[in-house]
Amino acid sequence: MTVKHAGLRLIDEKGLRHDGRRPDELRPVAMRVGVLSNADGSALFEIGKTKVLAAVYGPREPPQRHTMLPDRAVLRVRYHMAPFSTMDRKSPAPSRREIELSKVIREALEPVVIAELYPRTAIDVFVEVLQADGGTRTAGVTAASLALADAGIPMKGLVAGVAVGKVDGVIVLDVDELEDSAGEADLPIAAAPDIGLITLFQLNGVLSRQELEEAVEMGLSAIRRLVDMEKETLRSSVTVMPGE
Amino acid sequence: MSMLSRLTGKRVEPGDVVGVIEEYQPGPGTYVDDGVIRASVMGVVVVNESSRVVEVRPHKSLRTPRRCTSALGVVTSVRHDLVVASLIGEVSLKPHPRFMGEYSGIFDGAIPIQLISEEYVKDIYEYYRVGDIVVAKIVSSSNPYTLSTKGPQYGVIYGLCSKCGGLLVSESNKTVKCQSCGSVEPRKASIIQPTRLPLSRLRYSIWRR
């Protein structure tokens, strides 16, 4: 079956996608940390045309003291899309989708942040989508993980995310906006490969058991590569380390 | 030479393996996952062969108020039995007063009247006023932090004159004097000279709030 979207075939005769990528190929990735001086930690993550900025503050005392927990830090995440991030202006007010994605990203980070070390505090993570072209929630998780590591917040491992999808009956890695809207399935995954933990797993659409296994394998191997890039980015962000 | 001795000085990121519990104790900057010691922060591995501890010295250390350390803060309210201060950063008093760095956020601390001074405090307003910058010792380990200013090094290091707004400098351990108009006000003054601490940075921290 060939799915068409505005007269465009998503997989051509050579098996390549509409932007020339192979099915198991990521879009070009760029990562930078320490991009904001006022935040304790920050990161800019780009994957194709998707650009996400993350800022981390804390551990600090939350203004609403009742939100503090006596045994650990509270992780507070805000996912927000800038009004200029999409083709049509997006209202800057938090939408239902953004509130949900804030929760999803928080739950993707909570298993790796060692929050027990900072009781009665809050760690604030702000994820700002500057430009959206699909895969913003997984890009948000990746950017937030880098920003947390940049802030020096103890973590069990670095997290990265990627969305796997199915277009024209083919399992493809890192779906963009077009493939997401015209494709048959979308499967965002985030994981901490160092400790073998999947922290985000959603599926929109229908996949057979075999396709799901193929998609998860493809996603996890891409996440491994993204985490290696995160480590390289963090390493190169530091010029002189103490004790060297 | 064991594998871990070779790890000393190696740069690691969160999740990297730095040892196993059969061989070493997990130190600061590490955690144990299924018998494997992993780094929890970005930094450099330090293996202490005599104490058998492996730790990761973080590149960026998070500073939060700790018990038995000294903190720099600004008084935000004075009640008849309590002084509340916002703690901004850590101060080291030995060998000489030095600002160690800002905390990862601003934390609240309270000086109960019995911990203000070694002497009997009859009127708390003769010891602290709102806006005073103080050096205090943290005596509790959890938030909200209890502070003590017993001892000559603790107390007000910087304040503003209530008459002209000039800089108040300690004159004795119980009084401060305005450098512009010469007015003398009662305070629990610290012997630390304000020039010892980065006041411009402190003013910025307070202003930023």
Side-chain angles (χ1 to χ4, degrees):
Chain A
M1 191 184 79
T2 306
V3 176
K4 294 206 173 156
H5 188 79
L8 185 79
R9 280 182 68 192
L10 292 173
I11 303 282
D12 68 12
E13 312 76 48
K14 292 178 191 162
L16 296 178
R17 291 150 77 176
H18 74 95
D19 54 0
R21 280 187 290 157
R22 293 186 311 276
D24 63 344
E25 197 176 337
L26 285 171
R27 289 173 282 177
V29 173
M31 298 176 182
R32 270 175 69 197
V33 293
V35 289
L36 303 172
S37 60
N38 285 351
D40 295 319
S42 58
L44 181 66
F45 177 66
E46 297 177 24
I47 183 158
K49 285 186 224 156
T50 296
K51 291 186 189 187
V52 177
L53 187 66
V56 169
Y57 291 84
R60 61 183 182 182
E61 251 176 40
Q64 307 87 356
R65 297 182 72 91
H66 66 273
T67 58
M68 298 194 295
L69 294 176
D71 58 339
R72 61 180 191 273
V74 181
L75 194 64
R76 302 191 299 182
V77 176
R78 187 185 92 140
Y79 165 96
H80 183 249
M81 289 178 95
F84 50 81
S85 63
T86 45
M87 291 293 213
D88 300 315
R89 178 181 179 274
K90 194 232 144 240
S91 162
S95 63
R96 185 207 60 80
R97 178 180 170 274
E98 284 168 301
I99 295 166
E100 182 187 318
L101 290 190
S102 301
K103 173 190 173 284
V104 164
I105 295 173
R106 171 166 55 77
E107 288 176 352
L109 298 169
E110 266 173 346
V112 293
V113 173
I114 308 176
E116 297 77 28
L117 296 176
Y118 302 100
R120 293 174 190 272
T121 61
I123 298 167
D124 291 324
V125 180
F126 297 91
V127 174
E128 193 72 19
V129 178
L130 302 178
Q131 191 166 281
D133 186 32
T136 57
R137 78 190 66 188
T138 49
V141 171
T142 312
S145 163
L146 270 172
L148 282 166
D150 181 48
I153 290 175
M155 295 161 83
K156 291 182 178 172
L158 293 169
V159 189
V162 76
V164 191
K166 183 182 169 190
V167 291
D168 285 4
V170 180
I171 300 296
V172 294
L173 182 66
D174 186 22
V175 290
D176 63 16
E177 187 71 48
L178 180 67
E179 290 172 328
D180 187 19
S181 54
E184 294 138 58
D186 175 35
L187 175 81
I189 315 173
D194 284 330
I195 52 170
L197 200 67
I198 292 177
T199 62
L200 186 157
F201 196 92
Q202 296 182 301
L203 174 61
N204 183 15
V206 180
L207 290 178
S208 72
R209 194 185 179 115
Q210 213 172 5
E211 285 169 337
L212 183 73
E213 279 172 15
E214 188 190 339
V216 170
E217 199 177 316
M218 195 184 259
L220 290 180
S221 91
I223 287 169
R224 177 76 263 176
R225 294 206 299 277
L226 285 170
V227 165
D228 288 343
M229 286 176 76
E230 284 184 20
K231 288 185 177 177
E232 191 50 51
T233 307
L234 289 168
R235 218 169 288 147
S236 57
S237 73
V238 183
T239 43
V240 183
M241 300 281 263
E244 278 190 320
Chain B
M1 196 184 206
S2 78
M3 188 193 92
L4 286 177
S5 305
R6 276 180 276 126
L7 270 178
T8 296
K10 192 188 170 207
R11 291 180 182 194
V12 287
E13 278 73 44
D16 286 346
V17 176
V18 294
V20 286
I21 52 168
E22 285 86 351
E23 222 180 341
Y24 287 93
Q25 295 269 347
T30 68
Y31 73 98
V32 177
D33 170 48
D34 198 22
V36 177
I37 306 171
R38 292 176 185 273
S40 63
V41 290
M42 161 170 61
V44 175
V45 181
V46 176
V47 181
N48 187 329
E49 291 292 349
S50 56
S51 61
R52 309 294 292 174
V53 171
V54 58
E55 64 171 281
V56 176
R57 298 255 163 90
H59 152 57
K60 210 183 223 175
S61 58
L62 277 181
R63 209 179 285 280
T64 49
R66 286 177 301 144
R67 196 169 169 235
C68 294
T69 59
S70 301
L72 193 65
V74 56
V75 175
T76 53
S77 79
V78 182
R79 295 194 337 219
H80 71 283
D81 57 344
L82 189 78
V83 174
V84 181
S86 288
L87 306 179
I88 287 150
E90 191 173 315
V91 174
S92 163
L93 298 176
K94 284 174 186 168
H96 54 80
R98 196 155 57 97
F99 189 64
M100 302 300 286
E102 281 180 47
Y103 294 131
S104 60
I106 289 167
F107 293 86
D108 277 346
I111 320 171
I113 192 163
Q114 68 271 26
L115 294 179
I116 284 179
S117 170
E118 272 142 354
E119 63 186 29
Y120 173 70
V121 177
K122 194 175 176 194
D123 180 8
I124 202 165
Y125 299 99
E126 292 199 347
Y127 292 81
Y128 289 106
R129 292 286 173 90
V130 169
D132 287 347
I133 288 166
V134 295
V135 171
K137 186 176 166 186
I138 300 169
V139 292
S140 71
S141 51
S142 72
N143 185 343
Y145 297 95
T146 306
L147 309 172
S148 164
T149 54
K150 284 183 178 178
Q153 288 188 301
Y154 300 111
V156 177
I157 58 156
Y158 177 86
L160 293 179
C161 174
S162 55
K163 285 189 180 144
C164 72
L167 178 68
L168 291 169
V169 174
S170 115
E171 196 186 40
S172 72
N173 63 349
K174 290 182 79 176
T175 54
V176 284
K177 190 175 182 182
C178 175
Q179 289 191 315
S180 322
C181 70
S183 143
V184 175
E185 294 190 23
R187 286 292 197 286
K188 163 72 174 95
S190 161
I191 57 165
I192 298 171
Q193 292 301 309
T195 47
R196 283 286 192 182
L197 299 166
L199 289 178
S200 55
R201 188 166 169 77
L202 190 66
R203 277 193 204 134
Y204 172 70
S205 299
I206 296 161
W207 167 81
R208 207 169 57 163
R209 303 175 67 221

Short mmCIF file of all heavy atoms in Angstrom, two decimals, chain B residues 125-176:
data_model
loop_
_atom_site.label_atom_id
_atom_site.label_comp_id
_atom_site.label_asym_id
_atom_site.label_seq_id
_atom_site.Cartn_x
_atom_site.Cartn_y
_atom_site.Cartn_z
N TYR B 125 15.39 43.34 68.09
CA TYR B 125 15.62 44.41 67.10
C TYR B 125 16.94 45.15 67.36
O TYR B 125 17.36 45.95 66.54
CB TYR B 125 14.43 45.39 67.11
CG TYR B 125 13.15 44.68 66.73
CD1 TYR B 125 12.25 44.25 67.70
CD2 TYR B 125 12.85 44.40 65.39
CE1 TYR B 125 11.09 43.58 67.37
CE2 TYR B 125 11.69 43.72 65.05
CZ TYR B 125 10.82 43.32 66.04
OH TYR B 125 9.68 42.64 65.69
N GLU B 126 17.56 44.88 68.50
CA GLU B 126 18.87 45.48 68.76
C GLU B 126 19.98 44.59 68.21
O GLU B 126 21.16 44.87 68.39
CB GLU B 126 19.06 45.72 70.25
CG GLU B 126 18.13 46.79 70.75
CD GLU B 126 18.55 47.40 72.05
OE1 GLU B 126 19.43 46.83 72.71
OE2 GLU B 126 17.98 48.45 72.39
N TYR B 127 19.60 43.50 67.57
CA TYR B 127 20.60 42.57 67.03
C TYR B 127 20.53 42.46 65.50
O TYR B 127 21.55 42.40 64.83
CB TYR B 127 20.40 41.19 67.67
CG TYR B 127 20.77 41.20 69.13
CD1 TYR B 127 19.89 41.68 70.09
CD2 TYR B 127 22.04 40.78 69.53
CE1 TYR B 127 20.24 41.74 71.42
CE2 TYR B 127 22.40 40.82 70.86
CZ TYR B 127 21.50 41.30 71.81
OH TYR B 127 21.87 41.35 73.12
N TYR B 128 19.31 42.44 64.96
CA TYR B 128 19.16 42.31 63.50
C TYR B 128 18.06 43.22 62.98
O TYR B 128 17.08 43.47 63.68
CB TYR B 128 18.84 40.86 63.11
CG TYR B 128 20.02 39.93 63.29
CD1 TYR B 128 20.07 39.03 64.34
CD2 TYR B 128 21.10 40.01 62.42
CE1 TYR B 128 21.15 38.20 64.53
CE2 TYR B 128 22.20 39.19 62.59
CZ TYR B 128 22.23 38.29 63.64
OH TYR B 128 23.31 37.50 63.82
N ARG B 129 18.23 43.67 61.74
CA ARG B 129 17.19 44.43 61.06
C ARG B 129 17.03 43.83 59.65
O ARG B 129 17.98 43.23 59.11
CB ARG B 129 17.60 45.92 60.91
CG ARG B 129 17.66 46.67 62.21
CD ARG B 129 16.26 46.97 62.73
NE ARG B 129 16.31 47.56 64.07
CZ ARG B 129 16.38 48.86 64.28
NH1 ARG B 129 16.43 49.71 63.28
NH2 ARG B 129 16.40 49.32 65.52
N VAL B 130 15.86 44.03 59.07
CA VAL B 130 15.61 43.53 57.72
C VAL B 130 16.60 44.18 56.74
O VAL B 130 16.83 45.38 56.81
CB VAL B 130 14.14 43.82 57.31
CG1 VAL B 130 13.92 43.55 55.82
CG2 VAL B 130 13.19 42.98 58.13
N GLY B 131 17.18 43.37 55.89
CA GLY B 131 18.12 43.87 54.88
C GLY B 131 19.57 43.67 55.26
O GLY B 131 20.45 43.83 54.43
N ASP B 132 19.83 43.32 56.53
CA ASP B 132 21.22 43.08 56.95
C ASP B 132 21.79 41.86 56.25
O ASP B 132 21.09 40.86 56.06
CB ASP B 132 21.27 42.81 58.46
CG ASP B 132 21.03 44.06 59.28
OD1 ASP B 132 21.06 45.15 58.68
OD2 ASP B 132 20.82 43.93 60.50
N ILE B 133 23.05 41.93 55.91
CA ILE B 133 23.71 40.77 55.33
C ILE B 133 24.50 40.10 56.46
O ILE B 133 25.28 40.77 57.16
CB ILE B 133 24.57 41.18 54.14
CG1 ILE B 133 23.63 41.54 52.99
CG2 ILE B 133 25.50 40.04 53.71
CD1 ILE B 133 24.26 42.25 51.87
N VAL B 134 24.23 38.80 56.63
CA VAL B 134 24.78 38.12 57.80
C VAL B 134 25.61 36.90 57.40
O VAL B 134 25.41 36.32 56.33
CB VAL B 134 23.65 37.64 58.76
CG1 VAL B 134 22.92 38.82 59.34
CG2 VAL B 134 22.69 36.71 58.06
N VAL B 135 26.53 36.56 58.27
CA VAL B 135 27.23 35.28 58.17
C VAL B 135 26.75 34.46 59.36
O VAL B 135 26.79 34.95 60.49
CB VAL B 135 28.76 35.46 58.21
CG1 VAL B 135 29.45 34.12 58.32
CG2 VAL B 135 29.23 36.18 56.96
N ALA B 136 26.24 33.26 59.11
CA ALA B 136 25.69 32.43 60.18
C ALA B 136 26.12 30.99 59.99
O ALA B 136 26.46 30.57 58.88
CB ALA B 136 24.17 32.53 60.20
N LYS B 137 26.11 30.26 61.10
CA LYS B 137 26.47 28.84 61.05
C LYS B 137 25.18 28.03 60.91
O LYS B 137 24.19 28.32 61.57
CB LYS B 137 27.18 28.48 62.35
CG LYS B 137 27.73 27.09 62.40
CD LYS B 137 28.48 26.94 63.71
CE LYS B 137 28.77 25.51 64.01
NZ LYS B 137 29.37 25.38 65.33
N ILE B 138 25.22 27.01 60.02
CA ILE B 138 24.04 26.16 59.84
C ILE B 138 24.12 25.05 60.88
O ILE B 138 25.11 24.32 60.94
CB ILE B 138 24.00 25.58 58.41
CG1 ILE B 138 23.95 26.73 57.39
CG2 ILE B 138 22.80 24.67 58.23
CD1 ILE B 138 24.16 26.31 55.98
N VAL B 139 23.08 24.92 61.71
CA VAL B 139 23.12 23.92 62.77
C VAL B 139 22.14 22.77 62.57
O VAL B 139 22.12 21.82 63.33
CB VAL B 139 22.93 24.55 64.18
CG1 VAL B 139 24.12 25.41 64.54
CG2 VAL B 139 21.65 25.35 64.26
N SER B 140 21.33 22.84 61.52
CA SER B 140 20.44 21.70 61.25
C SER B 140 20.72 21.20 59.84
O SER B 140 21.29 21.91 59.02
CB SER B 140 18.98 22.11 61.37
OG SER B 140 18.62 22.95 60.31
N SER B 141 20.33 19.96 59.58
CA SER B 141 20.73 19.39 58.29
C SER B 141 19.60 19.36 57.28
O SER B 141 19.76 18.87 56.18
CB SER B 141 21.27 17.99 58.50
OG SER B 141 20.38 17.25 59.26
N SER B 142 18.44 19.86 57.66
CA SER B 142 17.37 19.84 56.67
C SER B 142 16.66 21.18 56.60
O SER B 142 16.72 21.99 57.52
CB SER B 142 16.38 18.72 56.96
OG SER B 142 15.63 19.06 58.09
N ASN B 143 16.01 21.37 55.51
CA ASN B 143 15.27 22.57 55.22
C ASN B 143 13.94 22.58 56.01
O ASN B 143 13.29 21.55 56.02
CB ASN B 143 15.00 22.54 53.70
CG ASN B 143 14.34 23.78 53.19
OD1 ASN B 143 13.79 24.55 53.94
ND2 ASN B 143 14.38 23.93 51.90
N PRO B 144 13.51 23.62 56.69
CA PRO B 144 14.14 24.93 56.82
C PRO B 144 15.35 24.87 57.77
O PRO B 144 15.27 24.21 58.81
CB PRO B 144 13.04 25.81 57.38
CG PRO B 144 12.09 24.88 58.04
CD PRO B 144 12.20 23.57 57.35
N TYR B 145 16.39 25.54 57.41
CA TYR B 145 17.66 25.44 58.14
C TYR B 145 17.63 26.32 59.39
O TYR B 145 17.17 27.46 59.34
CB TYR B 145 18.81 25.84 57.24
CG TYR B 145 18.94 24.90 56.07
CD1 TYR B 145 18.35 25.17 54.85
CD2 TYR B 145 19.61 23.69 56.21
CE1 TYR B 145 18.43 24.28 53.78
CE2 TYR B 145 19.70 22.79 55.16
CZ TYR B 145 19.11 23.09 53.96
OH TYR B 145 19.19 22.21 52.92
N THR B 146 18.14 25.76 60.48
CA THR B 146 18.30 26.54 61.71
C THR B 146 19.71 27.11 61.70
O THR B 146 20.66 26.40 61.38
CB THR B 146 18.08 25.64 62.94
OG1 THR B 146 16.83 25.00 62.80
CG2 THR B 146 18.09 26.45 64.22
N LEU B 147 19.81 28.38 62.04
CA LEU B 147 21.11 29.06 62.00
C LEU B 147 21.48 29.51 63.41
O LEU B 147 20.61 29.71 64.26
CB LEU B 147 21.04 30.28 61.10
CG LEU B 147 20.48 30.08 59.69
CD1 LEU B 147 20.31 31.43 59.01
CD2 LEU B 147 21.40 29.20 58.88
N SER B 148 22.79 29.68 63.59
CA SER B 148 23.28 30.21 64.85
C SER B 148 24.26 31.33 64.55
O SER B 148 25.05 31.23 63.61
CB SER B 148 23.96 29.10 65.65
OG SER B 148 24.74 29.68 66.68
N THR B 149 24.20 32.40 65.33
CA THR B 149 25.22 33.45 65.15
C THR B 149 25.97 33.68 66.46
O THR B 149 26.46 34.76 66.74
CB THR B 149 24.60 34.76 64.64
OG1 THR B 149 23.55 35.16 65.52
CG2 THR B 149 24.06 34.62 63.24
N LYS B 150 26.06 32.62 67.27
CA LYS B 150 26.88 32.71 68.48
C LYS B 150 28.34 32.68 68.05
O LYS B 150 28.71 31.84 67.24
CB LYS B 150 26.59 31.52 69.39
CG LYS B 150 25.28 31.64 70.14
CD LYS B 150 25.11 30.47 71.08
CE LYS B 150 23.83 30.60 71.87
NZ LYS B 150 23.62 29.45 72.75
N GLY B 151 29.13 33.55 68.60
CA GLY B 151 30.55 33.57 68.24
C GLY B 151 30.91 34.87 67.54
O GLY B 151 30.07 35.46 66.85
N PRO B 152 32.15 35.31 67.71
CA PRO B 152 32.53 36.63 67.19
C PRO B 152 32.52 36.75 65.67
O PRO B 152 32.32 37.83 65.14
CB PRO B 152 33.96 36.82 67.75
CG PRO B 152 34.45 35.45 68.03
CD PRO B 152 33.25 34.64 68.41
N GLN B 153 32.72 35.63 64.97
CA GLN B 153 32.79 35.74 63.51
C GLN B 153 31.42 35.84 62.86
O GLN B 153 31.30 36.25 61.71
CB GLN B 153 33.55 34.55 62.94
CG GLN B 153 35.03 34.64 63.25
CD GLN B 153 35.79 33.59 62.54
OE1 GLN B 153 35.54 32.41 62.73
NE2 GLN B 153 36.74 33.99 61.71
N TYR B 154 30.40 35.44 63.63
CA TYR B 154 29.06 35.42 63.05
C TYR B 154 28.29 36.70 63.37
O TYR B 154 28.50 37.31 64.41
CB TYR B 154 28.29 34.20 63.57
CG TYR B 154 28.97 32.90 63.22
CD1 TYR B 154 29.57 32.11 64.20
CD2 TYR B 154 29.05 32.49 61.89
CE1 TYR B 154 30.20 30.93 63.88
CE2 TYR B 154 29.69 31.30 61.56
CZ TYR B 154 30.26 30.53 62.56
OH TYR B 154 30.89 29.37 62.21
N GLY B 155 27.42 37.08 62.47
CA GLY B 155 26.59 38.25 62.68
C GLY B 155 26.54 39.10 61.43
O GLY B 155 26.84 38.63 60.33
N VAL B 156 26.18 40.36 61.65
CA VAL B 156 26.01 41.27 60.51
C VAL B 156 27.38 41.68 59.97
O VAL B 156 28.25 42.10 60.73
CB VAL B 156 25.22 42.53 60.95
CG1 VAL B 156 25.10 43.52 59.81
CG2 VAL B 156 23.86 42.13 61.48
N ILE B 157 27.56 41.56 58.67
CA ILE B 157 28.81 42.04 58.10
C ILE B 157 28.58 43.31 57.28
O ILE B 157 29.51 44.03 56.96
CB ILE B 157 29.50 40.98 57.21
CG1 ILE B 157 28.58 40.53 56.08
CG2 ILE B 157 30.00 39.81 58.02
CD1 ILE B 157 29.37 39.99 54.92
N TYR B 158 27.33 43.54 56.95
CA TYR B 158 27.04 44.66 56.07
C TYR B 158 25.59 45.05 56.26
O TYR B 158 24.70 44.20 56.33
CB TYR B 158 27.29 44.19 54.63
CG TYR B 158 27.00 45.16 53.54
CD1 TYR B 158 27.95 46.08 53.13
CD2 TYR B 158 25.77 45.16 52.88
CE1 TYR B 158 27.70 46.96 52.11
CE2 TYR B 158 25.51 46.03 51.84
CZ TYR B 158 26.48 46.93 51.47
OH TYR B 158 26.22 47.79 50.45
N GLY B 159 25.36 46.34 56.41
CA GLY B 159 23.98 46.80 56.55
C GLY B 159 23.88 48.21 56.02
O GLY B 159 24.90 48.84 55.69
N LEU B 160 22.69 48.70 55.92
CA LEU B 160 22.51 50.06 55.44
C LEU B 160 21.95 50.92 56.57
O LEU B 160 21.06 50.49 57.31
CB LEU B 160 21.57 50.09 54.23
CG LEU B 160 22.13 49.42 52.96
CD1 LEU B 160 21.11 49.49 51.85
CD2 LEU B 160 23.44 50.06 52.51
N CYS B 161 22.47 52.13 56.67
CA CYS B 161 22.10 53.07 57.72
C CYS B 161 20.62 53.41 57.60
O CYS B 161 20.12 53.70 56.50
CB CYS B 161 22.95 54.32 57.59
SG CYS B 161 22.48 55.64 58.71
N SER B 162 19.90 53.39 58.73
CA SER B 162 18.47 53.68 58.68
C SER B 162 18.20 55.17 58.50
O SER B 162 17.08 55.57 58.22
CB SER B 162 17.79 53.14 59.93
OG SER B 162 18.42 53.68 61.06
N LYS B 163 19.24 56.01 58.69
CA LYS B 163 19.03 57.46 58.53
C LYS B 163 19.38 57.94 57.13
O LYS B 163 18.63 58.65 56.49
CB LYS B 163 19.88 58.21 59.55
CG LYS B 163 19.31 58.12 60.94
CD LYS B 163 20.03 59.04 61.89
CE LYS B 163 19.42 58.91 63.28
NZ LYS B 163 20.43 59.03 64.31
N CYS B 164 20.58 57.53 56.63
CA CYS B 164 21.02 58.08 55.35
C CYS B 164 21.23 57.01 54.28
O CYS B 164 21.47 57.35 53.12
CB CYS B 164 22.31 58.87 55.53
SG CYS B 164 23.74 57.85 55.85
N GLY B 165 21.13 55.76 54.60
CA GLY B 165 21.32 54.69 53.60
C GLY B 165 22.78 54.37 53.34
O GLY B 165 23.09 53.61 52.44
N GLY B 166 23.68 54.95 54.14
CA GLY B 166 25.12 54.68 53.95
C GLY B 166 25.51 53.30 54.44
O GLY B 166 24.70 52.57 55.00
N LEU B 167 26.76 52.96 54.20
CA LEU B 167 27.26 51.64 54.57
C LEU B 167 27.55 51.58 56.07
O LEU B 167 28.25 52.43 56.61
CB LEU B 167 28.53 51.34 53.76
CG LEU B 167 29.23 50.03 54.04
CD1 LEU B 167 28.37 48.87 53.57
CD2 LEU B 167 30.57 50.00 53.35
N LEU B 168 27.01 50.56 56.71
CA LEU B 168 27.26 50.37 58.14
C LEU B 168 28.41 49.39 58.31
O LEU B 168 28.39 48.31 57.74
CB LEU B 168 26.02 49.80 58.83
CG LEU B 168 24.78 50.69 58.95
CD1 LEU B 168 23.60 49.86 59.40
CD2 LEU B 168 25.02 51.83 59.90
N VAL B 169 29.41 49.81 59.10
CA VAL B 169 30.56 48.94 59.33
C VAL B 169 30.67 48.69 60.83
O VAL B 169 30.37 49.57 61.64
CB VAL B 169 31.85 49.61 58.77
CG1 VAL B 169 33.07 48.80 59.12
CG2 VAL B 169 31.75 49.76 57.27
N SER B 170 31.10 47.48 61.15
CA SER B 170 31.12 47.12 62.56
C SER B 170 32.09 48.00 63.35
O SER B 170 33.21 48.28 62.91
CB SER B 170 31.46 45.64 62.67
OG SER B 170 32.67 45.45 63.30
N GLU B 171 31.60 48.48 64.50
CA GLU B 171 32.42 49.34 65.35
C GLU B 171 32.90 48.55 66.55
O GLU B 171 34.05 48.57 66.91
CB GLU B 171 31.59 50.54 65.79
CG GLU B 171 32.42 51.67 66.34
CD GLU B 171 31.56 52.78 66.91
OE1 GLU B 171 30.54 52.47 67.56
OE2 GLU B 171 31.91 53.94 66.72
N SER B 172 31.96 47.82 67.15
CA SER B 172 32.30 46.86 68.20
C SER B 172 31.43 45.63 67.91
O SER B 172 30.73 45.61 66.91
CB SER B 172 31.97 47.44 69.58
OG SER B 172 30.57 47.48 69.75
N ASN B 173 31.47 44.62 68.79
CA ASN B 173 30.66 43.44 68.51
C ASN B 173 29.16 43.70 68.70
O ASN B 173 28.34 42.86 68.38
CB ASN B 173 31.15 42.24 69.31
CG ASN B 173 31.01 42.49 70.80
OD1 ASN B 173 30.75 43.60 71.24
ND2 ASN B 173 31.18 41.44 71.58
N LYS B 174 28.83 44.89 69.27
CA LYS B 174 27.41 45.19 69.49
C LYS B 174 26.91 46.41 68.73
O LYS B 174 25.72 46.71 68.77
CB LYS B 174 27.15 45.38 70.99
CG LYS B 174 27.25 44.07 71.76
CD LYS B 174 26.94 44.23 73.20
CE LYS B 174 25.46 44.30 73.45
NZ LYS B 174 25.14 44.39 74.89
N THR B 175 27.81 47.09 68.04
CA THR B 175 27.37 48.30 67.32
C THR B 175 27.99 48.37 65.93
O THR B 175 29.07 47.83 65.69
CB THR B 175 27.75 49.59 68.08
OG1 THR B 175 29.16 49.55 68.33
CG2 THR B 175 26.96 49.76 69.35
N VAL B 176 27.26 49.05 65.07
CA VAL B 176 27.78 49.33 63.72
C VAL B 176 27.67 50.83 63.50
O VAL B 176 26.76 51.48 64.01
CB VAL B 176 27.03 48.55 62.63
CG1 VAL B 176 27.43 47.10 62.60
CG2 VAL B 176 25.53 48.70 62.75
#
